[in-house]
Amino acid sequence: MPSTLSPEALSPIGAFARAHDADRFLCALFAPAERREALFTLIAFNHELARAREAARTPMIALIRLQWWRDAVEEAATGKPPRRHEIAGPLHDAITAGLLDPDSLQAMADAREAEAEEEGIPTDGAFGAYLRASAGGFAVAAGRLLGAEGPALAALQEAGATYGLAGVLRSTAALAAQNRCLLPTESLAAAGLTAEAVIADPGAALPVVATLAGRGLDQARALHPRLPRTAIAAALPLVLARRDLRRLARGEAVPPTRGLADRLAVTLAGLTRRV
């Protein structure tokens, strides 16, 4: 069972991970203690990539932010000093210690460029590729950190993509409030909708969200990654994805904060090593 971490016991990077990505932070508690700080760092890095578009006034500024992080990763990989930033410092340490794979981190940054496309994500296929590269890429990087290899990494990518799908669907209204829509244009058009219509009225997208959630739930139920015992934390977000997709497929909202049932489901899966 993972050790209980009080706020006082958390490192700054651990506190950042918990504050900005509570789901993955909870899952990270089931990682081996000697890998946990690096996993917190990966969570924080992923958050910075995810907010590149959210924090930018224009798509071009978002791309500049992503390039900043690519450069930080490359500099760490080539032995240059760390940049002065609360996340770049721990990221540099994890890369130079050989814990985080620079190529995986670069791929995660590349994946976020889709969020800066002004025309949105055009097709269902492109949407799936975006999810496999972004949230799926996070799961692959986490798996590598925790000792997963080969087919286990492929399974983790699918599991991560499923969690990413649930994240996009449950965030439809929040994204609309930022004047953004990540639902694929193809699915919206089939329902007689556009991204602009969803931004104006997120409720209009509920049938599309339910349909995509239903498809994702079918895939999530078929996923049972076979992993080394040390790598279970990388797959645990799948537990939350299944629960969220079930709610969304029924037309229900996902609560903004995790309830006891969600936390217990992750804990049980983490303790039994069954996802």
Side-chain angles (χ1 to χ4, degrees), residues 41-269:
T41 300
L42 181 64
I43 292 169
F45 172 70
N46 184 66
H47 170 75
E48 290 297 315
L49 298 180
R51 71 183 293 270
R53 181 64 185 96
E54 174 185 346
R57 292 190 305 274
T58 67
M60 180 57 68
I61 293 175
L63 294 175
I64 292 170
R65 285 176 178 268
L66 292 174
Q67 187 58 48
W68 192 95
W69 284 106
R70 287 194 194 92
D71 292 343
V73 170
E74 182 179 359
E75 288 164 9
T78 55
K80 295 181 180 178
R83 296 186 170 201
R84 292 188 176 183
H85 187 280
E86 62 179 330
I87 308 306
L91 182 70
H92 183 280
D93 293 343
I95 293 170
T96 56
L99 296 173
L100 293 179
D101 171 47
D103 289 342
S104 296
L105 301 177
Q106 295 285 13
M108 288 170 60
D110 292 345
R112 295 290 177 174
E113 290 193 2
E115 298 174 3
E117 295 291 341
E118 293 193 62
E119 65 272 19
I121 299 176
T123 65
D124 292 353
F127 185 53
Y130 155 73
L131 295 172
R132 286 190 294 276
S134 55
F138 172 90
V140 168
R144 285 199 173 103
L145 167 65
L146 300 177
E149 299 176 339
L153 292 177
L156 281 173
Q157 185 175 40
E158 293 303 316
T162 302
Y163 178 76
L165 171 65
V168 170
L169 298 182
R170 70 174 182 258
S171 301
T172 299
L175 289 167
Q178 301 167 12
N179 202 38
R180 300 169 63 201
C181 178
L182 290 178
L183 300 175
T185 302
E186 181 179 359
S187 285
L188 292 176
L193 294 170
T194 63
E196 292 75 18
V198 173
I199 290 169
D201 177 16
L206 286 176
V208 175
V209 168
T211 297
L212 292 174
R215 293 177 192 164
L217 183 59
D218 289 341
Q219 295 170 354
R221 285 171 171 159
L223 287 173
H224 299 283
R226 299 183 64 180
L227 305 169
R229 289 179 61 83
T230 57
I232 189 66
L236 288 176
L238 179 60
V239 175
L240 295 172
R242 290 193 190 107
R243 297 177 65 83
D244 290 350
L245 291 171
R246 191 178 303 117
R247 294 173 176 123
L248 293 164
R250 293 194 297 243
E252 300 172 3
V254 176
T257 57
R258 292 294 174 190
L260 179 61
D262 283 347
R263 297 196 302 273
L264 286 176
V266 170
T267 300
L268 179 61

